[in-house]
Amino acid sequence: MNPLRWDVLLVGFVLALPVLALGLRGDLSADEVMVRLPWCLAAGWGAVALLRMASAPRTPAGATSGPKRPERPAREDEPAA
């Protein structure tokens, strides 16, 4: 999954709001804010990946991920199975 998708960026921005607010208030220096912002994007990516995995439909137990191979038709000189 691309870390620059709109949903990942949106969640990363929402997670970065407290960090930005602490930086504006003066509790964090500009360097500390810049160090923490990529972690907000990483947390957004993880949250979206977890949500997508949890909301994906389950596959049946006997199903395979690939397409099924068509069965070979029996030749005339072979006995029927």
Side-chain angles (χ1 to χ4, degrees):
M1 181 169 63
N2 186 1
L4 297 178
R5 293 174 43 99
W6 68 268
D7 50 355
V8 174
L9 291 175
L10 181 66
V11 172
F13 177 72
V14 169
L15 293 174
L17 285 176
V19 173
L20 293 172
L22 287 171
L24 288 175
R25 204 170 91 171
D27 292 339
L28 296 176
S29 68
D31 291 336
E32 290 173 330
V33 171
M34 293 307 294
V35 167
R36 286 184 169 100
L37 285 180
W39 288 104
C40 295
L41 180 63
W45 182 82
V48 170
L50 184 66
L51 185 64
R52 283 180 172 267
M53 183 188 70
S55 65
R58 289 187 178 189
T59 57
T64 60
S65 60
K68 293 189 179 204
R69 229 174 55 191
E71 295 199 21
R72 180 178 61 96
R75 294 188 339 205
E76 293 177 7
D77 57 344
E78 289 182 353

